Amino acid sequence: MQLITHADALAARETLTRQLGTAGPVRTPLLPVPESERDRPLLLKPESLQPIGAFKIRGALHATATLDERTRSRGIVAYSSGNHARAVAYAGRAFDIPTTVVVPRTAPETKVAAARALGAEVVLVEVAEREARAERIAAETGATLIPPFDSPAVIAGQATVGLEIAEDLRSREVPAATVLVPISGGGLISGVGAALAGADARIRLIGVEPLLAADTREGLRAGHRVDWPVAERTRTRADGLTAQPSELTFEHIRTFVDDVVTVTEEEIGEAVGHLATTCGLVAEPSGAVTTAAHRHRSAELPTGTTVAVVSGGNIDSERLISSLAG
Amino acid sequence: MQLITHADALAARETLTRQLGTAGPVRTPLLPVPESERDRPLLLKPESLQPIGAFKIRGALHATATLDERTRSRGIVAYSSGNHARAVAYAGRAFDIPTTVVVPRTAPETKVAAARALGAEVVLVEVAEREARAERIAAETGATLIPPFDSPAVIAGQATVGLEIAEDLRSREVPAATVLVPISGGGLISGVGAALAGADARIRLIGVEPLLAADTREGLRAGHRVDWPVAERTRTRADGLTAQPSELTFEHIRTFVDDVVTVTEEEIGEAVGHLATTCGLVAEPSGAVTTAAHRHRSAELPTGTTVAVVSGGNIDSERLISSLAG
């Protein structure tokens, strides 16, 4: 199986810059948290500050950018629990092409409204039907399906997060850091792993899952993918972390990821509150799992500089209030 | 009167980089807000993401960096309604020198605790006494007083915000933008004005004040500084915007600022909620006034690309919850 490489990540960044310029992803900084422990200083990578509030914009824009112009003009379609839908809607607007997103009825209203506001047609379906419906739309209209993670072009787009982390760690002269990345379908951690491995072999990469959706940790220990029932995986409040790796992303994870740690629902909620009150960042639960791991799983993590990727910030105000109220 | 120049801003950045490297201020990006109106696209400059949660870190670090080593070793002292105290505490830790901050009893607990956590000695006093007490401490210990705004070195430090905005606007190819900056003592807008005027004369600079603390707007119209009683100025929820310009900053404002607009308390609260739910940023009321102006004072503002400086993010969770709850 062909894995994404550091060179693919560099090429993806070049494509994004050439085709989109400053309409592409924001180059997010690493934000030091002065309140973090001295033996484990924390740097946040706030992908929650991307125009659509999540890293997903990188993969969606890159996958759309790599289509030939004629194919692209027929439009794009996606299925997603939320942020990928919004990212594809953003990509559709950026390239001015017809865009349809298939969203489960259970997705937070914020995410659905945002995709609509970006001009996409939104189709609401049951969770189990979303993939089939998106494929049917693609077949009927000639639009291209942009997968949420099971795609080399999408993974290469997410890999640009890893390029930036490696560069910023180098300028801080802390090459042997630990990087924490949430795992759901595994597109983000696959790309980040490929980029980091090619940039500096001393950087450790650790995945983070909710304890209630820890299929990847179990799969890595078993040596093969394991399947958790949807009803189990969707118990977590981290609604963006309920997918499971594909063969492609699982192979990346097996190759590039040093370990996976899990966090509880209470720890995720506490981290959402901490990020808001101490770090100035609104994170959705899925985006806060890495900060939760740094705060509550330090015994399972290496000491030294730690980077927590805050992957998204799209949270309804009611849920943010409840995390703030503790 | 000698005003800060673009060259001073460049020199300040050079000093910060040389002496502090990545322990200096974060180079914050411009964040596009896709939800903003098409004829008035909004870019946020999130100074709330600095390590101490506010732009004040720039001036405090620069003023401390420019002291000769012997003077600096005797320590630094500051009086402040909060964020400047925290910034000076951060500077004291960065240079490893004794640091005292004099804080009014009315300052939010978040800000006081944060200064203490950075190792500063915190002295709580009545608002009216803070300046005299800080000066006495300086006289007794040989420490240098770092003023919150009435200082060329502090203004030059804040000016680095303006350099970054001008550079990022240039790379976006939108030179004729409008930049919105909060006004309190005027250190930030003085520095930003100096940096922008030297970078691109087409950029318009507009100050924002709470209607309840609009002494600078009144002063600009009168052609001289006006004095509002403390009891009036402190009615606003924007607790970081209750100071008044000095002669030095007022002269910068008169030279560099095109206009001043005001926002109501309701508009400030709404903007805090909007920044959190739509832009992923926790802003304190003082940091949200520029976004409030963009959202609610568009009739008084030019069309075209607008940059809102989100100057700080230190807000107690109770107040954040109340803004989120609307």
Side-chain angles (χ1 to χ4, degrees):
Chain A
M1 190 180 297
Q2 183 102 24
L3 301 190
I4 291 298
T5 65
H6 185 255
D8 295 327
L10 290 171
R13 179 155 69 180
E14 217 282 303
T15 300
L16 287 168
T17 304
R18 182 167 31 79
Q19 293 202 26
L20 293 158
T22 54
V26 169
R27 194 196 186 294
T28 54
L30 289 184
L31 303 174
V33 180
E35 294 76 9
S36 52
E37 302 153 60
R38 278 180 183 252
D39 66 338
R40 198 176 266 108
L42 181 62
L43 298 166
L44 301 173
K45 176 72 172 169
E47 288 296 298
S48 50
L49 300 178
Q50 293 294 347
I52 58 121
F55 75 94
K56 293 274 187 183
I57 195 173
R58 297 178 185 255
L61 283 173
H62 181 247
T64 308
T66 55
L67 298 175
D68 70 80
E69 213 161 318
R70 193 193 171 101
T71 306
R72 188 161 62 216
S73 69
R74 288 196 295 266
I76 50 178
V77 57
Y79 59 93
S80 156
S81 67
N83 281 333
H84 178 59
R86 199 164 165 176
V88 169
Y90 184 91
R93 191 177 78 166
F95 287 98
D96 195 18
I97 52 177
T99 305
T100 310
V101 297
V102 181
V103 175
R105 289 184 206 289
T106 53
E109 180 50 35
T110 339
K111 297 184 181 182
V112 174
R116 275 209 193 95
L118 288 164
E121 188 181 339
V122 174
V123 178
L124 292 169
V125 299
E126 300 308 316
V127 174
E129 290 168 26
R130 55 188 186 171
E131 187 166 353
R133 176 70 76 90
E135 278 164 4
R136 203 174 72 211
I137 291 167
E140 286 169 4
T141 65
T144 302
L145 183 69
I146 308 289
F149 53 85
D150 189 27
S151 145
V154 169
I155 295 172
Q158 323 300 27
T160 59
V161 174
L163 293 179
E164 295 171 7
I165 292 172
E167 289 161 358
D168 288 355
L169 286 174
R170 200 175 308 127
S171 77
R172 290 180 172 271
E173 296 170 16
V174 283
T178 299
V179 177
L180 304 176
V181 179
I183 304 184
S184 180
L188 177 60
I189 200 164
S190 293
V192 169
L196 293 179
D200 192 323
R202 291 166 298 176
I203 299 175
R204 286 160 301 226
L205 177 59
I206 296 182
V208 184
E209 288 184 309
L211 186 59
L212 296 183
D215 55 281
T216 303
R217 185 176 64 159
E218 189 182 319
L220 274 182
R221 289 180 182 177
H224 55 81
R225 289 196 293 156
V226 297
D227 189 28
W228 283 31
V230 171
E232 282 196 27
R233 287 184 260 142
T234 50
R235 290 170 303 170
T236 177
R237 70 168 87 192
D239 56 79
L241 300 184
T242 61
Q244 298 185 145
S246 63
E247 281 185 45
L248 179 64
T249 57
F250 191 78
E251 200 53 37
H252 281 82
I253 292 168
R254 187 143 66 173
T255 307
F256 296 124
V257 174
D258 295 295
D259 199 2
V260 176
V261 299
T262 60
V263 289
T264 67
E265 297 301 298
E266 293 68 31
E267 290 162 351
I268 297 170
E270 192 276 341
V272 170
H274 177 78
L275 284 165
T277 54
T278 309
C279 310
L281 291 176
V282 175
E284 58 188 275
S286 307
V289 296
T290 51
T291 303
H294 180 264
R295 290 175 66 71
H296 301 290
R297 287 289 168 272
S298 58
E300 298 167 44
L301 295 173
T303 52
T305 300
T306 304
V307 175
V309 176
V310 180
S311 53
N314 296 314
I315 181 172
D316 286 318
S317 51
E318 295 70 33
R319 301 175 75 201
L320 178 56
I321 288 173
S322 113
S323 290
L324 285 165
Chain B
M1 189 181 296
Q2 183 101 25
L3 302 189
I4 291 298
T5 65
H6 185 255
D8 294 328
L10 290 171
R13 178 156 70 181
E14 216 285 300
T15 300
L16 287 167
T17 305
R18 182 166 30 80
Q19 293 202 25
L20 292 158
T22 55
V26 169
R27 195 195 186 297
T28 53
L30 289 185
L31 304 174
V33 180
E35 293 79 6
S36 51
E37 301 153 62
R38 279 181 182 249
D39 67 338
R40 198 175 264 108
L42 181 63
L43 299 166
L44 301 173
K45 176 72 173 170
E47 287 296 298
S48 51
L49 301 177
Q50 293 293 347
I52 58 121
F55 75 94
K56 293 274 187 184
I57 195 174
R58 298 179 185 252
L61 283 173
H62 181 248
T64 308
T66 55
L67 299 175
D68 70 81
E69 214 161 315
R70 191 192 172 100
T71 305
R72 187 161 62 216
S73 69
R74 289 195 294 266
I76 51 178
V77 56
Y79 59 93
S80 156
S81 66
N83 281 334
H84 178 59
R86 198 163 166 179
V88 168
Y90 185 92
R93 192 177 80 166
F95 286 99
D96 196 18
I97 52 178
T99 305
T100 310
V101 296
V102 181
V103 175
R105 290 185 205 289
T106 52
E109 180 51 35
T110 338
K111 297 184 179 181
V112 174
R116 276 209 192 91
L118 288 163
E121 187 181 338
V122 175
V123 179
L124 293 169
V125 299
E126 301 309 317
V127 173
E129 290 168 26
R130 57 191 185 170
E131 186 166 354
R133 177 69 76 88
E135 278 165 4
R136 204 173 73 211
I137 291 167
E140 285 169 5
T141 63
T144 301
L145 183 70
I146 309 287
F149 54 84
D150 189 26
S151 145
V154 170
I155 295 172
Q158 322 302 27
T160 59
V161 174
L163 293 179
E164 295 171 10
I165 291 172
E167 288 160 1
D168 288 356
L169 286 175
R170 200 175 308 129
S171 77
R172 289 180 173 272
E173 297 170 16
V174 281
T178 298
V179 177
L180 304 176
V181 179
I183 303 184
S184 179
L188 177 59
I189 200 165
S190 294
V192 169
L196 293 180
D200 193 321
R202 289 166 300 177
I203 300 175
R204 285 161 301 226
L205 177 59
I206 296 182
V208 184
E209 290 185 306
L211 187 58
L212 297 182
D215 55 281
T216 303
R217 185 176 65 158
E218 188 182 319
L220 274 181
R221 290 181 182 177
H224 56 80
R225 290 196 292 156
V226 297
D227 190 29
W228 283 31
V230 172
E232 283 195 27
R233 285 183 260 142
T234 50
R235 289 169 303 169
T236 177
R237 69 170 86 193
D239 57 79
L241 300 185
T242 61
Q244 297 184 145
S246 63
E247 281 185 46
L248 179 64
T249 56
F250 191 77
E251 200 53 38
H252 282 81
I253 291 168
R254 189 143 62 171
T255 306
F256 296 124
V257 174
D258 294 296
D259 199 2
V260 176
V261 299
T262 60
V263 288
T264 67
E265 297 301 297
E266 293 66 33
E267 289 163 351
I268 297 170
E270 192 275 342
V272 169
H274 177 78
L275 284 165
T277 54
T278 309
C279 311
L281 291 176
V282 175
E284 59 188 275
S286 308
V289 296
T290 50
T291 304
H294 180 266
R295 290 172 68 69
H296 302 289
R297 285 292 169 271
S298 58
E300 300 168 42
L301 296 173
T303 52
T305 299
T306 304
V307 176
V309 176
V310 180
S311 53
N314 296 312
I315 182 172
D316 288 318
S317 51
E318 295 72 30
R319 300 177 75 200
L320 178 56
I321 288 172
S322 112
S323 291
L324 286 165

